[in-house]
Amino acid sequence: MTVIGASGDSGTANPDKQGRLFPEPTVNWPSSDPLVTSAGGTWLQYGWKWDPTISANDFYTCLNTVADSTTCFGQYLNFDPSAVTTEAVWKEDWLPAATGGGRSVLFSTPSFQSGISSSLLQGSRGLPDLSWNAAVDGGVLTFIGFLGGANNGYYIIGGTSAASPQLAGVVALANQVRQQNGKQSIGYLEPVLYQLPASAFNDTVPLTFGTGAGVTTLDSNEQYGTGIPGMATTSGWDLTTGFGSPKVPLFVAGLAAAP
């Protein structure tokens, strides 16, 4: 059985049961368990590009000073509709939200992560393992039918809780191919996942957006306003998006070819 868990939507800032933020970077369980494949988040911009003209600070100042918030959102969530598709680490300061990721203090580095730099993992289980689009700006149109009456309908859904079931669907595609080839389901994913080539993933690297006062570089999973340091987004495997998002045909082919 493949178990996929969301890495969280608060970056490295997570609360205790009383709602108080831990004063240092933390990760979420069960996503941190080595038996679970941790799903992080990216911000997929398909055929458009975020182009803020004001900073996050100015955005919140605007919300607090104007009667019509559409002006604030229009300036901060401004986008270029002619741009090519791009994919950044999920860090939406306007929510604010960011992908979970970091080092576990409970679980040591598992054998399947032995190929990851020890200076990065520092003896810990690192997460997430891979990612999928988790952004609300460009999120998933989802029908919700259990709210009752007029509240039922379509909603834009984001978060790593949206990324994880979509990744599960991709694994299900691989299992269908495996069944056609007379193989069992992939089951425990981690040992196979870490043997896939880099070409099976879209590597997430720092990207810069915006113009003028709005220029913003997305290069970590620090949640805006918390003051808790985030983990760096880098080329290759990192503690914000793992390997990045799957290139589905190559990813499915790789899982299907595994013993």
Side-chain angles (χ1 to χ4, degrees):
M1 180 179 293
T2 302
V3 181
I4 300 178
S7 67
D9 302 343
S10 303
T12 53
N14 295 290
D16 61 16
K17 288 184 178 181
Q18 288 72 41
R20 300 168 299 190
L21 288 183
F22 291 105
E24 64 279 322
T26 53
V27 296
N28 286 309
W29 183 90
S31 178
S32 61
D33 194 307
L35 295 176
V36 175
T37 298
S38 178
T42 62
W43 188 352
L44 177 65
Q45 298 164 23
Y46 190 80
W48 57 277
K49 186 177 182 180
W50 180 45
D51 187 26
T53 58
I54 59 174
S55 68
N57 288 342
D58 289 341
F59 168 72
Y60 283 103
T61 298
C62 179
L63 290 181
N64 292 326
T65 55
V66 303
D68 184 1
S69 63
T70 57
T71 300
C72 314
F73 282 99
Q75 292 174 319
Y76 194 65
L77 296 184
N78 181 56
F79 67 95
D80 178 0
S82 64
V84 297
T85 298
T86 188
E87 192 169 13
V89 63
W90 180 45
K91 176 175 160 58
E92 289 183 278
D93 292 347
W94 66 278
L95 285 171
T99 179
R103 305 177 189 91
S104 171
V105 297
L106 297 178
F107 301 103
S108 58
T109 301
S111 59
F112 59 78
Q113 288 189 324
S114 60
I116 306 298
S117 169
S118 59
S119 63
L120 179 62
L121 295 181
Q122 300 177 14
S124 298
R125 191 284 201 247
L127 60 142
D129 298 304
L130 74 173
S131 296
W132 196 264
N133 180 39
V136 174
D137 187 15
V140 184
L141 188 62
T142 305
F143 183 82
I144 299 179
F146 57 80
L147 299 177
N151 291 322
N152 290 343
Y154 286 94
Y155 292 83
I156 298 295
I157 302 297
T160 55
S161 293
S164 53
Q166 292 179 89
L167 286 169
V170 175
V171 176
L173 293 176
N175 284 334
Q176 287 181 326
V177 178
R178 290 177 63 84
Q179 185 181 47
Q180 292 169 0
N181 296 338
K183 296 180 178 180
Q184 293 183 331
S185 297
I186 197 69
Y188 182 36
L189 182 60
E190 301 294 66
V192 179
L193 177 67
Y194 279 78
Q195 295 303 311
L196 294 178
S199 59
F201 301 92
N202 295 300
D203 187 20
T204 308
V205 298
L207 293 174
T208 300
F209 301 86
T211 54
V215 171
T216 304
T217 299
L218 299 183
D219 58 3
S220 80
N221 66 335
E222 179 179 350
Q223 185 183 21
Y224 177 84
T226 64
I228 307 299
M231 300 295 164
T233 302
T234 65
S235 59
W237 194 97
D238 61 51
L239 293 167
T240 64
T241 62
F243 287 114
S245 61
K247 295 179 180 177
V248 172
L250 296 176
F251 183 82
V252 167
L255 296 187

